[in-house]
């Protein structure tokens, strides 16, 4: 696959995240336009509300772009997703016969503000990165018992909260919570002192599965509408005190950020890659018939208030032990129904090397090894005013399939009680 040329000139550069090969789906607003669905092409956004109204896009009998979210399109299913992508490429390709009708419907990205691209039905977060699980297990237990006994057999997850999933650019208020130092007699309540990120990918489920009915890994793959960058903000001091025996709760539920553009499974097709070799054979229901991970370069930058941004992590989605279709299959294996708009967090994506660690907890080894961020400053955990940005792109032959960025700035905790 090489760069597909568009008549939108900015979509033809080798370093745009949004060439014609990509066409990710978002929701935007401007000073004069109400929130609406849009498709990124170069440095422009195609107004899908206007395109449907003009008769350039017709996906179903009733309009699907009269609402400011992509859930209605998801529910139409994979065949309609293919029809939409083919039609968009036909309208935007170099030499398109309808260029004159489409051109007035393009809005410069610099005029747009991005909103949540979907209504998140439910949010489930997994713990499927082996390097991350090994690092954390080593810190909190021991190197010999780093991975729990189920880890190589089950993509472990927990049910999170959809209500606190926010779009990139939303400020994150430092959470208050109950913590207890190991040497303290009593717990205390107040702002988290160990605020962290988790670099993850989010998989968006586009179609439903039925109550009581498991799905295969192949079916799960076909149910996935697309992927976003996901930052699972975490309070490392609230987490260890509360999570026995039921797992993460207030240390996780205060905020999760996602990037504003949903990159479709179709756009990522050339970048499929195998999950790493199995250390223990998986049970048959989790076997992957073909590659279901993706080769996507990921990085994180930290910018202190008034300072410059420093790259603190560089890794790749292909480091995950379990793919999103395996996670979705496991999620439905008991008969739990999955619904359009379900969001699955991959789990923290760390690589084997120190500079590939996807959380500050790992980078600073539990706060014991503060790391430099330039300007004479160091960090163990996030400070108020810090801006954390996730970046992601799959790198093709002379083109990118970019995710854009997932940004959040930390604001001081609310004084309480
Ligand atoms: Ca997580």
């Amino acid at each position: 696959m090489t760069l597909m040329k568009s008549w939108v000139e900015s979509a033809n550069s080798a370093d745009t995240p949004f060439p014609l090969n990509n066409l990710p789906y978002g929701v935007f607003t401007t000073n004069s336009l109400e929130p609406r669905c849009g498709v990124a092409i170069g440095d422009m956004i195609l107004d899908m509300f206007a395109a449907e109204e003009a008769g350039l896009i017709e996906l179903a009998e009733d309009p699907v772009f009269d609402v400011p979210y992509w859930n209605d399109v998801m529910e139409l299913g994979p065949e309609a997703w293919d029809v939409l992508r083919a039609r968009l490429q036909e309208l935007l390709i170099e030499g398109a016969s309808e260029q004159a009708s489409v051109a007035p419907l393009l809005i410069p990205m610099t005029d747009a503000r991005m909103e949540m691209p979907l209504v998140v039905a439910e949010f489930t977060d997994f713990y499927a990165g082996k390097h991350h699980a090994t690092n954390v297990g080593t810190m909190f237990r021991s190197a010999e018992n780093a991975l729990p006994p189920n880890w190589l057999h089950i993509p472990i997850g927990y049910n999170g909260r959809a209500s606190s999933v926010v779009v990139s650019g939303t400020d994150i208020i430092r959470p208050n919570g109950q913590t207890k130092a190991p040497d303290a007699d009593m717990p205390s309540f107040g702002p988290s002192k160990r605020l962290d990120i988790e670099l993850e990918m989010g998989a968006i489920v586009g179609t439903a599965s039925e109550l009581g009915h498991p799905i295969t890994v192949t079916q799960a793959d076909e149910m996935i509408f697309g992927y976003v960058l996901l930052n699972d903000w975490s309070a490392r001091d609230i987490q260890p005190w509360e999570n026995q025996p039921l797992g993460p709760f207030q240390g996780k539920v205060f905020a999760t950020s996602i990037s504003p553009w949903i990159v479709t499974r179709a756009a990522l097709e050339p970048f499929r890659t195998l999950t790493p070799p199995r250390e223990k054979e998986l049970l048959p229901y989790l076997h992957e018939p073909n590659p279901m991970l993706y080769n996507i370069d990921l990085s994180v930058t930290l910018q202190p208030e008034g300072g410059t941004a420093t790259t603190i992590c560089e890794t790749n989605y292909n480091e995950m032990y379990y793919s999103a279709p395996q996670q979705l299959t496991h999620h439905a294996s008991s008969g739990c129904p999955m619904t359009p708009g379900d969001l699955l967090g991959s789990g923290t994506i760390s690589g084997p090397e120190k500079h590939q660690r996807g959380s500050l907890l790992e980078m600073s080894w539990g706060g014991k090894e503060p790391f430099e961020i330039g300007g004479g400053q160091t960090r163990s955990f996030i400070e108020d005013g810090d801006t954390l940005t996730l970046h992601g792109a799959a790198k093709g032959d002379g083109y990118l399939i970019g995710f854009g960025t997932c940004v959040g700035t930390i604001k001081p905790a609310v004084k309480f009680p």
Side-chain angles (χ1 to χ4, degrees), residues 23-49:
L23 299 177
Y25 302 149
V27 167
F28 72 101
T29 180
T30 70
N31 288 340
S32 55
L33 298 176
E34 295 283 306
R36 58 193 57 208
C37 292
V39 176
I41 178 77
D43 57 9
M44 309 293 278
I45 302 174
L46 175 60
D47 179 342
M48 293 302 285
F49 173 80

PDB file of all heavy atoms in Angstrom, residues 23-49:
ATOM      1  N   LEU A  23      -8.744   8.619   6.710  1.00  0.00           N
ATOM      2  CA  LEU A  23     -10.154   9.018   6.832  1.00  0.00           C
ATOM      3  C   LEU A  23     -10.757   8.643   8.197  1.00  0.00           C
ATOM      4  O   LEU A  23     -11.732   7.882   8.268  1.00  0.00           O
ATOM      5  CB  LEU A  23     -10.989   8.405   5.695  1.00  0.00           C
ATOM      6  CG  LEU A  23     -10.599   8.819   4.272  1.00  0.00           C
ATOM      7  CD1 LEU A  23     -11.466   8.081   3.252  1.00  0.00           C
ATOM      8  CD2 LEU A  23     -10.714  10.334   4.086  1.00  0.00           C
ATOM      9  N   PRO A  24     -10.207   9.187   9.284  1.00  0.00           N
ATOM     10  CA  PRO A  24     -10.766   8.895  10.610  1.00  0.00           C
ATOM     11  C   PRO A  24     -12.007   9.739  10.892  1.00  0.00           C
ATOM     12  O   PRO A  24     -12.202  10.792  10.287  1.00  0.00           O
ATOM     13  CB  PRO A  24      -9.630   9.276  11.549  1.00  0.00           C
ATOM     14  CG  PRO A  24      -8.918  10.374  10.842  1.00  0.00           C
ATOM     15  CD  PRO A  24      -9.028  10.066   9.362  1.00  0.00           C
ATOM     16  N   TYR A  25     -12.808   9.243  11.830  1.00  0.00           N
ATOM     17  CA  TYR A  25     -14.118   9.825  12.121  1.00  0.00           C
ATOM     18  C   TYR A  25     -14.113  10.552  13.460  1.00  0.00           C
ATOM     19  O   TYR A  25     -13.725   9.984  14.482  1.00  0.00           O
ATOM     20  CB  TYR A  25     -15.174   8.714  12.150  1.00  0.00           C
ATOM     21  CG  TYR A  25     -15.261   7.915  10.871  1.00  0.00           C
ATOM     22  CD1 TYR A  25     -15.637   6.569  10.890  1.00  0.00           C
ATOM     23  CD2 TYR A  25     -14.989   8.498   9.631  1.00  0.00           C
ATOM     24  CE1 TYR A  25     -15.748   5.819   9.725  1.00  0.00           C
ATOM     25  CE2 TYR A  25     -15.088   7.765   8.447  1.00  0.00           C
ATOM     26  CZ  TYR A  25     -15.468   6.424   8.499  1.00  0.00           C
ATOM     27  OH  TYR A  25     -15.572   5.696   7.346  1.00  0.00           O
ATOM     28  N   GLY A  26     -14.592  11.817  13.446  1.00  0.00           N
ATOM     29  CA  GLY A  26     -14.665  12.597  14.672  1.00  0.00           C
ATOM     30  C   GLY A  26     -15.946  13.406  14.735  1.00  0.00           C
ATOM     31  O   GLY A  26     -16.812  13.310  13.865  1.00  0.00           O
ATOM     32  N   VAL A  27     -16.066  14.203  15.790  1.00  0.00           N
ATOM     33  CA  VAL A  27     -17.174  15.146  15.943  1.00  0.00           C
ATOM     34  C   VAL A  27     -16.561  16.501  16.263  1.00  0.00           C
ATOM     35  O   VAL A  27     -15.694  16.610  17.131  1.00  0.00           O
ATOM     36  CB  VAL A  27     -18.153  14.696  17.048  1.00  0.00           C
ATOM     37  CG1 VAL A  27     -19.122  15.823  17.414  1.00  0.00           C
ATOM     38  CG2 VAL A  27     -18.920  13.458  16.597  1.00  0.00           C
ATOM     39  N   PHE A  28     -17.004  17.540  15.519  1.00  0.00           N
ATOM     40  CA  PHE A  28     -16.396  18.854  15.694  1.00  0.00           C
ATOM     41  C   PHE A  28     -17.466  19.933  15.772  1.00  0.00           C
ATOM     42  O   PHE A  28     -18.630  19.717  15.422  1.00  0.00           O
ATOM     43  CB  PHE A  28     -15.437  19.157  14.537  1.00  0.00           C
ATOM     44  CG  PHE A  28     -16.139  19.444  13.223  1.00  0.00           C
ATOM     45  CD1 PHE A  28     -16.306  20.756  12.773  1.00  0.00           C
ATOM     46  CD2 PHE A  28     -16.662  18.414  12.454  1.00  0.00           C
ATOM     47  CE1 PHE A  28     -16.964  21.017  11.575  1.00  0.00           C
ATOM     48  CE2 PHE A  28     -17.324  18.674  11.258  1.00  0.00           C
ATOM     49  CZ  PHE A  28     -17.481  19.977  10.823  1.00  0.00           C
ATOM     50  N   THR A  29     -17.029  21.104  16.220  1.00  0.00           N
ATOM     51  CA  THR A  29     -17.900  22.270  16.242  1.00  0.00           C
ATOM     52  C   THR A  29     -17.046  23.478  15.869  1.00  0.00           C
ATOM     53  O   THR A  29     -15.823  23.430  15.973  1.00  0.00           O
ATOM     54  CB  THR A  29     -18.549  22.432  17.633  1.00  0.00           C
ATOM     55  OG1 THR A  29     -19.394  23.566  17.626  1.00  0.00           O
ATOM     56  CG2 THR A  29     -17.534  22.601  18.723  1.00  0.00           C
ATOM     57  N   THR A  30     -17.687  24.529  15.366  1.00  0.00           N
ATOM     58  CA  THR A  30     -16.972  25.785  15.106  1.00  0.00           C
ATOM     59  C   THR A  30     -17.792  26.909  15.723  1.00  0.00           C
ATOM     60  O   THR A  30     -18.859  26.672  16.282  1.00  0.00           O
ATOM     61  CB  THR A  30     -16.808  26.072  13.592  1.00  0.00           C
ATOM     62  OG1 THR A  30     -18.095  26.399  13.060  1.00  0.00           O
ATOM     63  CG2 THR A  30     -16.215  24.890  12.847  1.00  0.00           C
ATOM     64  N   ASN A  31     -17.299  28.137  15.583  1.00  0.00           N
ATOM     65  CA  ASN A  31     -18.040  29.273  16.141  1.00  0.00           C
ATOM     66  C   ASN A  31     -19.425  29.395  15.525  1.00  0.00           C
ATOM     67  O   ASN A  31     -20.347  29.895  16.151  1.00  0.00           O
ATOM     68  CB  ASN A  31     -17.257  30.567  15.936  1.00  0.00           C
ATOM     69  CG  ASN A  31     -16.051  30.615  16.863  1.00  0.00           C
ATOM     70  OD1 ASN A  31     -16.008  29.895  17.869  1.00  0.00           O
ATOM     71  ND2 ASN A  31     -15.079  31.435  16.533  1.00  0.00           N
ATOM     72  N   SER A  32     -19.583  28.895  14.278  1.00  0.00           N
ATOM     73  CA  SER A  32     -20.889  29.061  13.629  1.00  0.00           C
ATOM     74  C   SER A  32     -21.645  27.742  13.444  1.00  0.00           C
ATOM     75  O   SER A  32     -22.835  27.757  13.157  1.00  0.00           O
ATOM     76  CB  SER A  32     -20.708  29.744  12.270  1.00  0.00           C
ATOM     77  OG  SER A  32     -19.784  29.020  11.486  1.00  0.00           O
ATOM     78  N   LEU A  33     -20.959  26.599  13.601  1.00  0.00           N
ATOM     79  CA  LEU A  33     -21.627  25.316  13.362  1.00  0.00           C
ATOM     80  C   LEU A  33     -21.870  24.562  14.665  1.00  0.00           C
ATOM     81  O   LEU A  33     -20.998  24.496  15.531  1.00  0.00           O
ATOM     82  CB  LEU A  33     -20.769  24.420  12.445  1.00  0.00           C
ATOM     83  CG  LEU A  33     -20.485  24.932  11.031  1.00  0.00           C
ATOM     84  CD1 LEU A  33     -19.556  23.968  10.300  1.00  0.00           C
ATOM     85  CD2 LEU A  33     -21.787  25.130  10.244  1.00  0.00           C
ATOM     86  N   GLU A  34     -23.048  23.978  14.796  1.00  0.00           N
ATOM     87  CA  GLU A  34     -23.379  23.095  15.920  1.00  0.00           C
ATOM     88  C   GLU A  34     -22.507  21.837  15.827  1.00  0.00           C
ATOM     89  O   GLU A  34     -22.048  21.486  14.742  1.00  0.00           O
ATOM     90  CB  GLU A  34     -24.846  22.672  15.830  1.00  0.00           C
ATOM     91  CG  GLU A  34     -25.842  23.816  16.002  1.00  0.00           C
ATOM     92  CD  GLU A  34     -25.982  24.216  17.452  1.00  0.00           C
ATOM     93  OE1 GLU A  34     -26.263  23.337  18.283  1.00  0.00           O
ATOM     94  OE2 GLU A  34     -25.787  25.415  17.746  1.00  0.00           O
ATOM     95  N   PRO A  35     -22.291  21.108  16.939  1.00  0.00           N
ATOM     96  CA  PRO A  35     -21.495  19.874  16.876  1.00  0.00           C
ATOM     97  C   PRO A  35     -22.046  18.903  15.839  1.00  0.00           C
ATOM     98  O   PRO A  35     -23.264  18.734  15.734  1.00  0.00           O
ATOM     99  CB  PRO A  35     -21.645  19.297  18.289  1.00  0.00           C
ATOM    100  CG  PRO A  35     -21.947  20.467  19.153  1.00  0.00           C
ATOM    101  CD  PRO A  35     -22.741  21.407  18.304  1.00  0.00           C
ATOM    102  N   ARG A  36     -21.148  18.298  15.084  1.00  0.00           N
ATOM    103  CA  ARG A  36     -21.545  17.389  13.999  1.00  0.00           C
ATOM    104  C   ARG A  36     -20.417  16.419  13.657  1.00  0.00           C
ATOM    105  O   ARG A  36     -19.261  16.660  13.999  1.00  0.00           O
ATOM    106  CB  ARG A  36     -21.912  18.202  12.763  1.00  0.00           C
ATOM    107  CG  ARG A  36     -20.771  19.085  12.309  1.00  0.00           C
ATOM    108  CD  ARG A  36     -21.223  20.116  11.304  1.00  0.00           C
ATOM    109  NE  ARG A  36     -22.305  20.949  11.812  1.00  0.00           N
ATOM    110  CZ  ARG A  36     -23.240  21.534  11.040  1.00  0.00           C
ATOM    111  NH1 ARG A  36     -23.200  21.384   9.740  1.00  0.00           N
ATOM    112  NH2 ARG A  36     -24.185  22.278  11.570  1.00  0.00           N
ATOM    113  N   CYS A  37     -20.755  15.345  12.968  1.00  0.00           N
ATOM    114  CA  CYS A  37     -19.748  14.371  12.548  1.00  0.00           C
ATOM    115  C   CYS A  37     -18.888  14.951  11.439  1.00  0.00           C
ATOM    116  O   CYS A  37     -19.379  15.700  10.586  1.00  0.00           O
ATOM    117  CB  CYS A  37     -20.426  13.097  12.045  1.00  0.00           C
ATOM    118  SG  CYS A  37     -21.257  12.181  13.353  1.00  0.00           S
ATOM    119  N   GLY A  38     -17.615  14.599  11.455  1.00  0.00           N
ATOM    120  CA  GLY A  38     -16.698  15.036  10.420  1.00  0.00           C
ATOM    121  C   GLY A  38     -15.667  13.964  10.129  1.00  0.00           C
ATOM    122  O   GLY A  38     -15.437  13.068  10.948  1.00  0.00           O
ATOM    123  N   VAL A  39     -15.050  14.061   8.931  1.00  0.00           N
ATOM    124  CA  VAL A  39     -14.003  13.127   8.530  1.00  0.00           C
ATOM    125  C   VAL A  39     -12.750  13.941   8.250  1.00  0.00           C
ATOM    126  O   VAL A  39     -12.801  14.941   7.527  1.00  0.00           O
ATOM    127  CB  VAL A  39     -14.419  12.336   7.271  1.00  0.00           C
ATOM    128  CG1 VAL A  39     -13.295  11.426   6.804  1.00  0.00           C
ATOM    129  CG2 VAL A  39     -15.687  11.531   7.548  1.00  0.00           C
ATOM    130  N   ALA A  40     -11.619  13.527   8.855  1.00  0.00           N
ATOM    131  CA  ALA A  40     -10.373  14.274   8.672  1.00  0.00           C
ATOM    132  C   ALA A  40      -9.740  13.918   7.338  1.00  0.00           C
ATOM    133  O   ALA A  40      -9.621  12.744   6.981  1.00  0.00           O
ATOM    134  CB  ALA A  40      -9.407  13.965   9.813  1.00  0.00           C
ATOM    135  N   ILE A  41      -9.342  14.958   6.582  1.00  0.00           N
ATOM    136  CA  ILE A  41      -8.593  14.768   5.336  1.00  0.00           C
ATOM    137  C   ILE A  41      -7.555  15.894   5.277  1.00  0.00           C
ATOM    138  O   ILE A  41      -7.912  17.070   5.153  1.00  0.00           O
ATOM    139  CB  ILE A  41      -9.533  14.724   4.094  1.00  0.00           C
ATOM    140  CG1 ILE A  41      -8.740  14.571   2.812  1.00  0.00           C
ATOM    141  CG2 ILE A  41     -10.489  15.911   4.047  1.00  0.00           C
ATOM    142  CD1 ILE A  41      -8.234  13.164   2.559  1.00  0.00           C
ATOM    143  N   GLY A  42      -6.264  15.520   5.402  1.00  0.00           N
ATOM    144  CA  GLY A  42      -5.207  16.538   5.478  1.00  0.00           C
ATOM    145  C   GLY A  42      -5.464  17.456   6.652  1.00  0.00           C
ATOM    146  O   GLY A  42      -5.723  16.997   7.759  1.00  0.00           O
ATOM    147  N   ASP A  43      -5.429  18.794   6.380  1.00  0.00           N
ATOM    148  CA  ASP A  43      -5.702  19.723   7.485  1.00  0.00           C
ATOM    149  C   ASP A  43      -7.145  20.238   7.447  1.00  0.00           C
ATOM    150  O   ASP A  43      -7.453  21.293   8.002  1.00  0.00           O
ATOM    151  CB  ASP A  43      -4.692  20.882   7.472  1.00  0.00           C
ATOM    152  CG  ASP A  43      -4.690  21.636   6.154  1.00  0.00           C
ATOM    153  OD1 ASP A  43      -5.591  21.379   5.306  1.00  0.00           O
ATOM    154  OD2 ASP A  43      -3.806  22.488   5.954  1.00  0.00           O
ATOM    155  N   MET A  44      -8.033  19.481   6.789  1.00  0.00           N
ATOM    156  CA  MET A  44      -9.445  19.870   6.671  1.00  0.00           C
ATOM    157  C   MET A  44     -10.347  18.792   7.283  1.00  0.00           C
ATOM    158  O   MET A  44      -9.931  17.663   7.511  1.00  0.00           O
ATOM    159  CB  MET A  44      -9.825  20.045   5.191  1.00  0.00           C
ATOM    160  CG  MET A  44      -8.910  20.947   4.388  1.00  0.00           C
ATOM    161  SD  MET A  44      -8.996  22.685   4.902  1.00  0.00           S
ATOM    162  CE  MET A  44     -10.452  23.210   4.008  1.00  0.00           C
ATOM    163  N   ILE A  45     -11.601  19.195   7.526  1.00  0.00           N
ATOM    164  CA  ILE A  45     -12.617  18.259   8.022  1.00  0.00           C
ATOM    165  C   ILE A  45     -13.814  18.315   7.079  1.00  0.00           C
ATOM    166  O   ILE A  45     -14.342  19.401   6.801  1.00  0.00           O
ATOM    167  CB  ILE A  45     -13.090  18.626   9.448  1.00  0.00           C
ATOM    168  CG1 ILE A  45     -11.905  18.658  10.416  1.00  0.00           C
ATOM    169  CG2 ILE A  45     -14.152  17.639   9.929  1.00  0.00           C
ATOM    170  CD1 ILE A  45     -12.272  19.158  11.811  1.00  0.00           C
ATOM    171  N   LEU A  46     -14.223  17.151   6.575  1.00  0.00           N
ATOM    172  CA  LEU A  46     -15.428  17.094   5.746  1.00  0.00           C
ATOM    173  C   LEU A  46     -16.648  17.062   6.672  1.00  0.00           C
ATOM    174  O   LEU A  46     -16.777  16.171   7.526  1.00  0.00           O
ATOM    175  CB  LEU A  46     -15.399  15.853   4.841  1.00  0.00           C
ATOM    176  CG  LEU A  46     -16.666  15.617   4.005  1.00  0.00           C
ATOM    177  CD1 LEU A  46     -16.950  16.781   3.055  1.00  0.00           C
ATOM    178  CD2 LEU A  46     -16.551  14.313   3.210  1.00  0.00           C
ATOM    179  N   ASP A  47     -17.539  18.030   6.487  1.00  0.00           N
ATOM    180  CA  ASP A  47     -18.763  18.158   7.288  1.00  0.00           C
ATOM    181  C   ASP A  47     -19.765  17.094   6.823  1.00  0.00           C
ATOM    182  O   ASP A  47     -20.361  17.213   5.743  1.00  0.00           O
ATOM    183  CB  ASP A  47     -19.312  19.576   7.085  1.00  0.00           C
ATOM    184  CG  ASP A  47     -20.598  19.838   7.848  1.00  0.00           C
ATOM    185  OD1 ASP A  47     -21.269  18.872   8.257  1.00  0.00           O
ATOM    186  OD2 ASP A  47     -20.935  21.026   8.020  1.00  0.00           O
ATOM    187  N   MET A  48     -19.938  16.047   7.629  1.00  0.00           N
ATOM    188  CA  MET A  48     -20.773  14.918   7.211  1.00  0.00           C
ATOM    189  C   MET A  48     -22.262  15.235   7.279  1.00  0.00           C
ATOM    190  O   MET A  48     -23.055  14.680   6.524  1.00  0.00           O
ATOM    191  CB  MET A  48     -20.456  13.677   8.046  1.00  0.00           C
ATOM    192  CG  MET A  48     -19.065  13.136   7.799  1.00  0.00           C
ATOM    193  SD  MET A  48     -18.776  12.692   6.062  1.00  0.00           S
ATOM    194  CE  MET A  48     -19.714  11.178   5.952  1.00  0.00           C
ATOM    195  N   PHE A  49     -22.649  16.135   8.191  1.00  0.00           N
ATOM    196  CA  PHE A  49     -24.044  16.578   8.251  1.00  0.00           C
ATOM    197  C   PHE A  49     -24.410  17.243   6.915  1.00  0.00           C
ATOM    198  O   PHE A  49     -25.428  16.915   6.281  1.00  0.00           O
ATOM    199  CB  PHE A  49     -24.237  17.555   9.420  1.00  0.00           C
ATOM    200  CG  PHE A  49     -25.590  18.195   9.465  1.00  0.00           C
ATOM    201  CD1 PHE A  49     -26.677  17.511   9.989  1.00  0.00           C
ATOM    202  CD2 PHE A  49     -25.782  19.490   8.976  1.00  0.00           C
ATOM    203  CE1 PHE A  49     -27.943  18.111  10.034  1.00  0.00           C
ATOM    204  CE2 PHE A  49     -27.032  20.089   9.013  1.00  0.00           C
ATOM    205  CZ  PHE A  49     -28.121  19.394   9.535  1.00  0.00           C
TER     206      PHE A  49
END
